[in-house]
């Protein structure tokens, strides 16, 4: 079984891979032998993330990319192809939080569009670039591809003042189901990971809020918040040959929060 999870020779892109869940997944992939390209908008964070993965022995690449820009995504993807010659997996993890700062009654159209541009359109741009490449490879006899979107339990539960965020994540769940059906002929799987409350830069403010912790920690059966490293194993599984028959699904990683 160890061979089933050996990712030597595989190449994965992780958008938003320079921190949080994205870096946790990237580190898991790298330790399994996968070459990894980390995409993020901050070159300093990209460099720090690459330095962290240096000890894994895997090839690590970084790209400065705003996933909301379709042309920038295609350029970054082409650059990864130029370096590695192939991309076997695309982990679309880049996103912004809803914030819960204002009511739906006060939501400005610009805020709605900004959230969708990154959380949904950004995934579409990245998945399209990857899927076209994977389909071309399949036509040449090399049928293999993995598309993984980072969604959220906010796509399953009602979150006041976060309807714009939840809507983007619900759309991702629907999209991976459709892609799983359409792209199966190319040996491509499509799945979504749904994190619960995870300690990261994005949630640092919440985790420092004693009232938030007091209200939410007791609702998690695991009795702790998630950490980026909790996503290493699921990333390796979804990238590996072991998940070849697992597609069109949403995988909840929340310490039991949604079933308590």
């Amino acid at each position: 079984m160890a061979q089933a999870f050996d990712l030597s020779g595989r190449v994965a892109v992780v958008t938003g891979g320079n921190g949080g869940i994205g870096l946790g997944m990237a580190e898991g992939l790298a330790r399994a032998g996968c070459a990894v390209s980390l995409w993020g908008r901050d070159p300093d964070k990209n460099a720090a993330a690459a330095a962290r993965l240096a000890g894994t022995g895997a090839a690590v690449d970084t790209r400065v990319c705003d996933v909301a820009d379709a042309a920038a995504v295609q350029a970054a993807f082409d650059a990864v192809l130029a370096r590695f010659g192939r991309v076997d997996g695309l982990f679309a993890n880049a996103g912004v939080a809803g914030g819960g700062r204002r009511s739906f009654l006060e939501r400005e159209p610009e805020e709605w569009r900004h959230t969708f541009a990154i959380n949904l359109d950004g995934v579409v741009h990245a998945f399209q670039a990857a899927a076209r490449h994977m389909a071309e490879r399949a036509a040449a006899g090399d049928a293999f591809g993995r598309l993984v979107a980072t969604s959220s339990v906010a796509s399953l539960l009602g979150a006041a003042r976060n309807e714009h965020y939840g809507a983007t994540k619900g759309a991702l769940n629907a999209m991976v189901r459709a892609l799983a059906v359409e792209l199966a002929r190319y040996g491509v799987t499509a799945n979504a990971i749904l994190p619960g409350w995870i300690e990261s830069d994005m949630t640092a403010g919440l985790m420092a809020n004693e009232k938030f912790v007091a209200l939410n920690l007791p609702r998690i059966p695991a009795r702790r918040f998630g950490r980026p490293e909790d996503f290493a194993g699921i990333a390796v599984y979804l990238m590996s040959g072991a998940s070849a028959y697992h597609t069109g699904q949403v995988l909840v990683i929340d310490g039991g929060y949604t079933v308590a």
Side-chain angles (χ1 to χ4, degrees):
M1 281 302 295
Q3 292 180 347
F5 298 101
D6 181 359
L7 302 182
S8 300
R10 297 297 185 189
V11 179
V13 169
V14 184
T15 73
N18 60 10
I21 291 171
L23 184 54
M25 292 193 294
E27 187 164 11
L29 295 170
R31 291 193 182 283
C34 189
V36 181
S37 180
L38 307 174
W39 294 13
R41 292 183 293 180
D42 185 333
D44 292 333
K45 281 189 68 175
N46 287 358
R52 174 170 167 171
L53 299 190
T56 65
V60 179
D61 172 78
T62 65
R63 301 289 159 183
V64 175
C65 182
D66 179 355
V67 295
D69 183 337
V73 168
Q74 189 61 59
F77 192 85
D78 290 343
V80 176
L81 285 181
R83 174 168 179 182
F84 295 112
R86 63 187 293 126
V87 171
D88 299 289
L90 194 298
F91 289 75
N93 172 76
V96 292
R101 289 179 292 275
R102 71 180 79 225
S103 162
F104 173 69
L105 306 180
E106 303 166 340
R107 183 80 58 214
E108 295 290 340
E110 292 75 17
E111 185 177 8
W112 181 273
R113 287 194 291 267
H114 173 70
T115 306
F116 269 75
I118 297 174
N119 289 5
L120 181 58
D121 296 350
V123 177
V124 172
H125 301 328
F127 274 5
Q128 276 192 322
R132 288 168 181 153
H133 164 68
M134 292 167 184
E136 290 175 359
R137 278 212 335 265
D142 183 9
F144 183 96
R146 301 289 187 262
L147 302 178
V148 182
T150 298
S151 179
S152 169
V153 296
S155 65
L156 305 177
L157 306 174
R161 297 175 178 265
N162 267 310
E163 78 294 332
H164 55 324
Y165 177 79
T168 64
K169 299 304 187 177
L172 291 183
N173 298 353
M175 182 168 67
V176 298
R177 293 187 184 104
L179 295 182
V181 175
E182 180 177 349
L183 302 178
R185 69 197 70 181
Y186 305 117
V188 176
T189 65
N191 293 285
I193 293 173
L194 279 60
W197 292 114
I198 311 300
E199 296 175 350
S200 69
D201 290 344
M202 184 180 290
T203 61
L206 286 174
M207 298 300 171
N209 184 317
E210 293 182 1
K211 182 177 180 180
F212 168 84
V213 173
L215 286 173
N216 287 280
L217 190 58
R219 296 177 60 190
I220 303 173
R223 291 298 184 267
R224 68 172 177 86
F225 294 115
R227 296 183 286 266
E229 55 266 31
D230 290 319
F231 296 84
I234 192 66
V236 172
Y237 165 69
L238 290 176
M239 185 67 192
S240 74
S243 66
Y245 205 57
H246 193 165
T247 191
Q249 301 300 308
V250 295
L251 293 87
V252 179
I253 312 293
D254 69 349
Y257 180 78
T258 54
V259 297

